[in-house]
Amino acid sequence: MPKIVCFGEIMLRLNPKNYLRFVQANEFEASYAGGEANVAASLAGYGMDAFFVSKVPAHEIGQCAVNELRRFGVDTSEIRRGGDRLGIYFLEKGASQRASKVIYDRADSAIALANPGEFDWDSILNNADWFHFTGITPALGANACAITLDALRTARKKKVPVSCDLNYRKKLWSREEAGKTMASLMEYVQLCIANEEDAADVFGIRAEGTDVRKGELSRDGYVSVAKQLTDRFGFEKTAITLRGSVSASENFWSGLLYDRGEAFFGPDYRIQLVDRVGGGDAFGGGLIYAQLNNFDSQHGIDFAVAASALAQSISGDYNLMRVDEVEALVKGDGSGRVQR
Amino acid sequence: MPKIVCFGEIMLRLNPKNYLRFVQANEFEASYAGGEANVAASLAGYGMDAFFVSKVPAHEIGQCAVNELRRFGVDTSEIRRGGDRLGIYFLEKGASQRASKVIYDRADSAIALANPGEFDWDSILNNADWFHFTGITPALGANACAITLDALRTARKKKVPVSCDLNYRKKLWSREEAGKTMASLMEYVQLCIANEEDAADVFGIRAEGTDVRKGELSRDGYVSVAKQLTDRFGFEKTAITLRGSVSASENFWSGLLYDRGEAFFGPDYRIQLVDRVGGGDAFGGGLIYAQLNNFDSQHGIDFAVAASALAQSISGDYNLMRVDEVEALVKGDGSGRVQR
Amino acid sequence: MPKIVCFGEIMLRLNPKNYLRFVQANEFEASYAGGEANVAASLAGYGMDAFFVSKVPAHEIGQCAVNELRRFGVDTSEIRRGGDRLGIYFLEKGASQRASKVIYDRADSAIALANPGEFDWDSILNNADWFHFTGITPALGANACAITLDALRTARKKKVPVSCDLNYRKKLWSREEAGKTMASLMEYVQLCIANEEDAADVFGIRAEGTDVRKGELSRDGYVSVAKQLTDRFGFEKTAITLRGSVSASENFWSGLLYDRGEAFFGPDYRIQLVDRVGGGDAFGGGLIYAQLNNFDSQHGIDFAVAASALAQSISGDYNLMRVDEVEALVKGDGSGRVQR
Amino acid sequence: MPKIVCFGEIMLRLNPKNYLRFVQANEFEASYAGGEANVAASLAGYGMDAFFVSKVPAHEIGQCAVNELRRFGVDTSEIRRGGDRLGIYFLEKGASQRASKVIYDRADSAIALANPGEFDWDSILNNADWFHFTGITPALGANACAITLDALRTARKKKVPVSCDLNYRKKLWSREEAGKTMASLMEYVQLCIANEEDAADVFGIRAEGTDVRKGELSRDGYVSVAKQLTDRFGFEKTAITLRGSVSASENFWSGLLYDRGEAFFGPDYRIQLVDRVGGGDAFGGGLIYAQLNNFDSQHGIDFAVAASALAQSISGDYNLMRVDEVEALVKGDGSGRVQR
Amino acid sequence: MPKIVCFGEIMLRLNPKNYLRFVQANEFEASYAGGEANVAASLAGYGMDAFFVSKVPAHEIGQCAVNELRRFGVDTSEIRRGGDRLGIYFLEKGASQRASKVIYDRADSAIALANPGEFDWDSILNNADWFHFTGITPALGANACAITLDALRTARKKKVPVSCDLNYRKKLWSREEAGKTMASLMEYVQLCIANEEDAADVFGIRAEGTDVRKGELSRDGYVSVAKQLTDRFGFEKTAITLRGSVSASENFWSGLLYDRGEAFFGPDYRIQLVDRVGGGDAFGGGLIYAQLNNFDSQHGIDFAVAASALAQSISGDYNLMRVDEVEALVKGDGSGRVQR
Amino acid sequence: MPKIVCFGEIMLRLNPKNYLRFVQANEFEASYAGGEANVAASLAGYGMDAFFVSKVPAHEIGQCAVNELRRFGVDTSEIRRGGDRLGIYFLEKGASQRASKVIYDRADSAIALANPGEFDWDSILNNADWFHFTGITPALGANACAITLDALRTARKKKVPVSCDLNYRKKLWSREEAGKTMASLMEYVQLCIANEEDAADVFGIRAEGTDVRKGELSRDGYVSVAKQLTDRFGFEKTAITLRGSVSASENFWSGLLYDRGEAFFGPDYRIQLVDRVGGGDAFGGGLIYAQLNNFDSQHGIDFAVAASALAQSISGDYNLMRVDEVEALVKGDGSGRVQR
């Protein structure tokens, strides 16, 4: 089984039940998630040997995060314990024209304040087949950024392929900071994952003819974004998610993989949203699975798009689909008929 | 902050969870709502100084109604305590072709049996900027009707503008009774709010070419209804909601404001219904907010339609949207993308 | 009131709440259902004197199944007590492109292992106006099959009309076994109910031009299936459900009744699925109701299609609609407007 | 199976979950109960042929009451449909020193306003072995009282034994009204059931040396109450419940049966309260079961006390214990060890 | 109505349902509480004009805290909006020998980082009849401590009586820091509230013969603690809670009021714990109510002990008892009998 | 970290919420448990390297069992996948005098029908420090019994110490079968765990003067049982749980360890039961932990009794206490005071 190492933050996610607004909530559903943890969970669900590396407090809430990962098969043996708090994000699920909202409360989390010396990347990346991180981690602060850089240098040294999801978070840093820092990390990356907003926010790369608020999709524009990213940083492959937001209840969803000058588009799905958070991470998980299993580019993007479409029909950030279930949709059965 | 006074009944609303039928329910969600209370909650949520005036029993269930209003910022200091019971309405939410159902159990409620002497309108309306009532209140009985008339006369005396939502309830009175009584109250009203069924049921005013059960919308027909209402009663403005019922899960929603001979239509929304009860009240709340803030007619109807569309994506009767959230939809972002 | 006797298995149905996957569930909603029990519940809800005949364990879980039937008005006085276990089925509700899943755990249930001698069909069918079974019951094993045959012979002797829903379950028997056994039972049947997959699986009867996974509907193909079934077995009437699976959240739904050479199609509904399991049973219940009340063929199929469309907007297997509610949809009001 | 007929009101019971106060509740558990309905449910659970006779509205909430009774095996075929509302009672469960609270909202219920002509007691009591009512029913108003009297006269004519639980409700009538009316009905009663407060409130019969608020139990005092009741009205048997209220969480519980001059005391239980409402009704149900099965007086009171102790460990008004379970406690196993 | 001003922090409280451990929880009940907010809620429930003064973030979670206070009648008009986060505390309710656990995540909360200039105490304390704070607030940091001192000086200037609950939190500061800072604030305090651990931790004041882990109660020891506190700081009155911890499910509970050299003990209650957090705050609220209503010392301590005993039978931190309910227990009815 | 291997069945546990009876339940809480799995979970929670070895179906419900174990840190890498079903047990929690009930539905489970060849014990027990099984596993059938014997022989060969909890289940086999089979396995056992009923049921070993239904505890009797077991089978150590069942809500709980002729009694706890199922397994887990950490006999029995007392305050079968938490109770703090 291939070994994949994902590094980043895991947070307590708190969301009101169903479609309640925050101000109506007397209870929150609690789960534990984060961009890189979500990728690890995807890959563990596909039967891979997926490690999530982070730091969580030594108290019970930190333990809860570890337990949630273990439950879904992620290897947590490289998670450090210590620090004062687990980051939190509050999520209010939208419906119809009412948008979903996220409130972050993640400052000074255990991983944000961890020390580089706590992570022995030579050991952690021993025998690893893949390393994954996102643009959120270096945004957490100087420490987390330094640890990321250590990991990337070790990965290069050990020839471990690296993927990065740009994932710009404007609450964490400015576009300028993001652009500068992320640019310096891109040299270590072979597979770059982004959506068109990330590309614009972080690197100022834009596609003409697309207004995301209007849910417009311009295929050429997306190819242009992928090409610009690839050309600037020399990625082996670049993947872009395509979301057409009809409303908070219904989206169109697709993606493209730009591989050595050629753009491969996945299928277009009209999806009824159960929980869209984590959709991009499921896309990343699908892509990495495809690389590790040597799928051709068309199969790879088909798999990643199908996986991430399905992920958005599942409550919580994690994509809990098996490979056979994703492949069934890739093969065209999106009819939702009962499987008995 | 403008002071708005809403007068009417607040009821205990009991509905099975999710889409369960009454006969499946072993528990009910409990909230406290009513046409005028819902308007007050909308306006309090917009930061206005909104009073709800009514009478509730001195027992704990009456207190619960007060608490729910207070929670969402409504001033409850003019609610009287006494009488035997709080009115109740049971709601079963429909889905797809299955219609929602309402069962009323509101006879002999505290407010229906209250005495005019219990409400000192000179004091209550002191410094008020608006007074709102609906056709439900006079339908509760002779007492409630007399109190309404007292309020209206005081409002006129104090030059407090008045809005009325016709809101015909066939379980409370006949079309003949409604027509006669409501006609006598219209002289006090500056802003009339209705849907096309209310106009027909109460005043016999009809638009050709519209069959509500088929979800057909004829713009001209709605303008005709508004014009007839305005011409007969001399309202300053008349507003009509336009609901196209595709199913219990999906509606088209819009509205028009007829202002001195001109009809202003709001945007058309295709809405996925979370809880459609209270949609009309959110429309009324939006209109009153627009008047108090001197929005022009187009902005006013846009705001009211957007607010009421959003309200139907929220569980419960109350519209719990802030002004900035409504304005974001007015400005065109109905994509439901996550706000981080 | 007509007396209808339904014979088969009732199972404990366990499903995660809302749209949770099995692996996310920490609790299951529990109900008690089965193809024939669902038909009995439909008919009891229409005010008929509906009996469900089966065998359940003498313990509390068996009693729960009896109680659920009694709650919805089914006569349970002919249910036998004994045996070791109640069959169970686990249901995961799908959404969007993610299919619903059913896991059966029904081997060695009380009814599967019951003895023919336990059921005195002369007494049970005394004064009966209808007998209903499905292809699931004979598939449960030799005993259940023998009891079914006893029932059918007694029904013929007493001139009780018989309906059968083919309902092929590939986990219970092979196509060959099903075809052979079911063919031997068809001589007792007057009203045959099926979907196009059942007809193909059990009797190898196919319509050209239909791929259920693609949600395609070919009206002619369905008529061909009905005609072939009718011609081969000499049914008085044959009814076919038409499901167009757009996704796990949305289907198109209709049905046809083939009556002495003529095909009557019901209305086409686009349905938002709340719980699609039991839709076919509601269709059967509607058809039987129509027969017992001498509806003409068009009214009969309209009623059955409307009933089964509505059933899929209700949580659980049972169709909990009253006759007046079904007739309202038959008459064209599918707008879902609130009934006050 | 003996046939028992219970006549009275069934209400919607609404209680917050667990130990929440009314003002904390955002949802209510819903069940359907009443003094006489609870007795019928007890007896149905013991396998008797128990009828509950009443009138409920023709709407869905009325149907819910019927369904709840059917679920637990009560025969509902003599329940009339009509009237406007089902009575409601709100229950807040206490804990420790905090008392439970009941708020009634039962005025003008369907049964309170029913007409004597709606109940054909000759038919209803045909072949009946027992008739049961409580002091609540005549307190509902002149109509309900007249219907009760009709029933009692018919019972006498048909030689059906009658039990009455005094059950004084101060919110329904004064002590004077209760005393006068109930005295006039006692001549029809063979088995009288009461607690010491009822005896005092309705008939002014008191035992010295008992202060219920202090949880004191004086055995002689209780015998004195039973003897006075028996002597004044000529009952065959009189039964009294003995509750020692330590707190809202813990009670002592026993009872006595006064049978032709001799007092038989049941066992004393220290009970942890799960839901004490309906405890007295379970006592009555146990006594009637004992009479119908010719238990000797000691066994009868033991059974009734054990049944009603167990009933208070069960959520809801209904006693859902089987005969074998009650008998196990009668035989002394109150250890609560797991039954595997 | 007397006006009381309480100043401090309000936090989001998150606790697993029922008695689940943190590691079992998939959802948290959410409420909003804090030592001083709880006192304000108590007093609002008694009908007082209770203000809670604090600072909460301008986002929805901050609004939730405001709404919870408003719901229960607290005046929130002096709460400032701003800062980044609301403090959080996680609570796991214990049972039997398993202790309850609290995990704090409150660093850098809006109130902890507020500036003294944000609170105009001259205005806030205008016409105030009482000011209350606890030892938690100055422990939040230099800013919160400075604001507290401002408030105290203004209170002295305006002759507003002041109460302080020592409430030592070892996670916030050391015993040394607490002792030094609190000693400097005591000169402004007229009514001091403490338990014996606080007195020891903050001021090194100890009673011989008491080991709290063994649940031992030495009345003389408590009087000694009260006397030492009074003598050292010159309080007008000093009140001490007495908790005898039998287990996490059952406690003994009492309190004493030391008033000018005389010790008044309240009643001893054996309480079944529903939620013990906030018990001490309810004691403080009862004492303040007693002062404002000129209860004599015995009545005052009886009221405070009864109120706080009852508070621990209620879920959540807030004491939601009315004055009449507390007085009923003071008068001796702790039997928990149903109030109908 | 010591490696412990536990072998046995894991079942789906379904219980109604709170104290609902089966016949009231509309939903079940779902967890996954079994005597040996519970021991593994205890040990994993103490930080040990605990393996659970079994076989579960390859479907999602089987996966759920694996996930639950993983969540709590148990190594599931030696669980086989296959077979048709996961065993199920239904649990109704009792209260007060009402006993808890268990209904088993475990016939033909995957592990009961597994083949000895599926388990390579040489590999599984490689480097193992302990092996644990219970009397339930050989009772599942000839296959499971043969696999157990294989494991025991391998353990002896590898000098892995073995513990066995007798755990007699009368629904699985007769006393005669149990006695014969278990006697043949005892030669492999070093640590025997039992309660006094098991000893009597399986081996006919009785203590005079104890009637478990009366909750009587005779210390001498228990020592006699331990001595007889030890003498007959030559165990190194024998441990007995002592349960005094006051009611389903309250028990007395202790245990003894018989070690080379000397009896060590643990503390006596009066426990308020939250969930008593799994108490004995927590006792076993505590004992094994004590052996692996070389606790002296008194410390060992103290630890085991404290751990198992605490386990019964936790919902579900699993003991989710950490070592430090158990030791705190061992050291005498059972006061349940809040740990902040």
Side-chain angles (χ1 to χ4, degrees), chain E residues 20-90:
Chain E
L20 291 180
R21 301 219 73 187
F22 286 130
V23 292
Q24 298 177 293
N26 300 294
E27 56 193 20
F28 291 118
E29 293 179 335
S31 54
Y32 299 85
E36 305 83 1
N38 300 347
V39 169
S42 267
L43 290 163
Y46 297 153
M48 303 290 96
D49 193 14
F51 283 69
F52 178 65
V53 180
S54 189
K55 184 175 180 185
V56 302
H59 60 43
E60 284 90 341
I61 305 302
Q63 187 61 42
C64 287
V66 170
N67 285 9
E68 180 107 329
L69 289 163
R70 290 198 302 209
R71 181 182 185 185
F72 294 110
V74 175
D75 194 309
T76 61
S77 56
E78 295 289 357
I79 293 180
R80 305 316 182 228
R81 308 292 172 101
D84 288 331
R85 65 186 304 258
L86 197 73
I88 296 175
Y89 87 89
F90 297 91

Side-chain angles (χ1 to χ4, degrees), chain C residues 140-162:
Chain C
L140 296 176
N143 283 28
C145 190
I147 300 169
T148 307
L149 192 56
D150 280 358
L152 291 173
R153 286 174 176 152
T154 310
R156 173 183 282 175
K157 191 180 69 183
K158 290 176 166 289
K159 302 194 191 308
V160 179
V162 172

